[in-house]
Amino acid sequence: MYTAINTSAEEIRVLTLAAGKADDDIHCTLQTTPLSTARYEALSYVWGYSRSTRLIHVQEKETQVTENLEAALRDLRYDDQPRLLWVDALCINQSDGEEKGHQVRMMGNIYSGAERVICWLQPHQE
């Protein structure tokens, strides 16, 4: 699912959240880009309980994410256009210790470089 990221440069992955209606499956792609030219919104959220997961599609592969992240993506998704996000659980290869350490050290720059930081607390209540 992940292509190598250049840990000697300030590169990040940006997630493109595909447009969709409320009940549509969630589809996303990842693109590596220099932090200095990236345009995105950063999502800050509570990861939630790791055993309570949902399936989404990332790079056309089924991927498990926490129930809380799935709810955030579903709630934040536009119905008519894609949305560019930086989401730590998906934009960082969590199983690559070197990359993870490098990206965590960059998080201050990642959040300050975002066009907007979204603090997501819970699903939208109707």
Side-chain angles (χ1 to χ4, degrees):
M1 180 166 92
Y2 293 101
T3 58
I5 201 165
N6 184 350
T7 56
S8 64
E10 287 204 334
E11 286 187 340
I12 63 169
R13 288 187 194 90
V14 174
L15 180 133
T16 301
L17 176 60
K21 304 294 183 206
D23 294 332
D24 293 346
D25 288 347
I26 294 174
H27 291 269
C28 310
T29 58
L30 295 168
Q31 182 176 355
T32 302
T33 185
L35 178 59
S36 61
T37 59
R39 297 183 59 88
Y40 60 93
E41 298 170 285
L43 175 60
S44 178
Y45 66 102
V46 176
W47 276 37
Y49 188 56
S50 64
R51 291 190 181 154
S52 182
T53 62
R54 298 285 187 264
L55 286 176
I56 66 169
H57 302 272
V58 181
Q59 305 294 80
E60 299 183 17
K61 296 179 183 173
E62 285 188 341
T63 304
Q64 288 192 346
V65 297
T66 63
E67 183 176 39
N68 203 39
L69 177 54
E70 189 269 349
L73 294 173
R74 187 169 298 285
D75 201 46
L76 294 170
R77 171 175 58 183
Y78 295 133
D79 63 357
D80 62 346
Q81 64 184 332
R83 190 166 195 173
L84 300 176
L85 298 169
W86 184 85
V87 181
D88 57 357
L90 295 170
C91 294
I92 299 173
N93 182 351
Q94 299 295 320
S95 57
D96 180 334
E98 180 182 354
E99 175 185 313
K100 186 176 176 181
H102 178 262
Q103 293 288 291
V104 167
R105 287 188 297 277
M106 288 178 50
M107 285 178 82
N109 291 338
I110 291 169
Y111 279 103
S112 65
E115 293 180 345
R116 176 184 350 195
V117 176
I118 302 164
C119 295
W120 193 86
L121 302 175
Q122 65 184 16
H124 177 73
Q125 302 296 314
E126 301 265 343

